[in-house]
Amino acid sequence: MTATTATTREIHEGGVVRLVDYLAVELTRAGVTHLFGVGGANIEDLYDAVHRTGTIRGVVAKHEFSAVTMADGYARATRRLGVVAATSGGGAMNLVPGLAEAYASRVPVLALVGQPPTGQEGLGAFQDSSGKAGSFDAQEVFTPVSRFCARVDDADSLAELLSRAITAAQTDPKGPAVLLLPKDVQQAQIDVPFRDATQTPVASTPTASAARLEAEARDAASAALRGAGRVLIIAGEGVAAAGARAELAELAQRLGAWVAVTPDAKDVFDNRDPRFTGVAGVMGHTNVEDCLRRADFCLLVGTRLPVLARGGLDQALAVTPVICIDPEPPFVAGLTLGGNLRDTLRALAGRLPPRPLPCPEHSGPLPTPPPTPVPQAGHGTLSYAEAVAAVEVALPQDAHVFVDAGNAGASAVHLLPAPRHGRFVVAVGMGGMGYTFGAGIGAALATGQRTYVLAGDGAFFMHGMEVHTAVEYAAPVTFVIFNNNAHAMCALREELFQGGVRSDDLFARTDIAAGVAAAFPALDATWAGDAAQLRRALLRSNAGSGPAFIALDCDAREIPPFLPFLSFTESTESTESEETSDECGPVHVG
């Protein structure tokens, strides 16, 4: 046996191996099945080790941002650790925006970042980011967007640092962890001590005083909720991350509560359940505010309720008692219950009578009508509502849905019910355009389930060439591109808020479907000129095993169901009324 051909079994039994071989096996032990990234000289040894394990599939992306979002989508779809690898220099720096999204959205991702050999640090090494001799320090770059960041300066420190990194990524509040790996350290020979392959880490337990305080807070919350006649639950992404959908539904039944969801958590509660009130916040439904104004208590579950999730609700929240079940305190005043989210939901439900109660009547998540008639540019142009309705008809109930930023995304969040047995993901942490192309691929490869990516042309032109990755790996992803030949949300902001004096964000027409079809002859790429064609193309993609691509034309002037735009048009129409500016003024987001 040589160090470069060590097997997983041999590493478990001890011996001398390359550090990267040991690292690859440890990733397998952590449940990792895919490693996403872009190769390079200072990370190639890790890719070699991953290939040799035979248990982890290496996936090469077109750009490191998308590699991070692949790991992010993998983690959100599986609730396992997502892993991304990149080389030094520009490759490493391209990770930052993706890690920022994972940090803000509390997604467990491990980034393994190659670095030049330690002997060249501070001596003019190519892509030196050691912080020596005037070079910038990569550790200082990654620390603000990670829960843990360390440079592995010597081989002996890897075992401890890897354990700390994985623990930090998967401990609430979850998020990215980053290990900087110099090339010579990756290649170093290490002695692997014997360890039982079935050994699992021991979970930490809270101290007696912390457990007592937690129990007292639960008792206080239970007493308050038992005495409440009407309760509105607003559930967030943390419910999905904790795998607590069943516990949420049980608590809602015992409370007789209404249930709303944040824009990034449509899938955490059945959108067809009579308790479902709609989406909260700037892409949401007015029924949520109506229920909140009638509620005796608002219970936040798995969300801190950031601005996108509470836009339009601040006045009602100010006069409604709030209880928050989340690892971090909410952005509004209220009682916080920390600890394990599933356990807390079970404990609260256990303190309530075990009988389901009906929720009070409500109007349901009725779509917000557009402020003006939808403009029609001519034959072949679909409104957002028409396109989303076609998607709803075709969408398999076990599919995943990844919705990108922009007008089309706002429409999908507002109008499209989440599949009953799949994820519905919107990256609202940083809101980066193009997130969905990588994330959808990561989720599809991890689960094998059909995954819909709903994105605009602006997002496509940023990171849409990950279609190539989907083709290369036969990922079951259906890409649906809403093409309005514009950065339409920006264009509407310019028109509504700045007088429409610029046209920077309006572009000449492009035939995206034709371009993609020419680039990828084996890919089913279609232009849909009406809702029926879109529906047929979607159904055809469902029947296939690999990727499909569909583009449709929309109007950049159509105003989506996005509160800042709707509140502005309403305030403009009511300038002659006696309402105050606080009551009818626009909501500012972004």
Side-chain angles (χ1 to χ4, degrees), residues 484-503:
N484 49 36
N485 298 291
H487 287 166
M489 185 166 279
C490 296
L492 280 175
R493 291 184 65 86
E494 291 157 11
E495 179 179 348
L496 297 177
F497 304 140
Q498 297 180 329
V501 296
R502 296 186 287 121
S503 59

Side-chain angles (χ1 to χ4, degrees), residues 18 51 56 67 70 249 264 358 388 432 434 491 494 567 590:
R18 292 181 305 172
H51 175 75
I56 298 176
M70 288 178 194
D264 57 340
V388 172
E494 291 157 11
S567 62

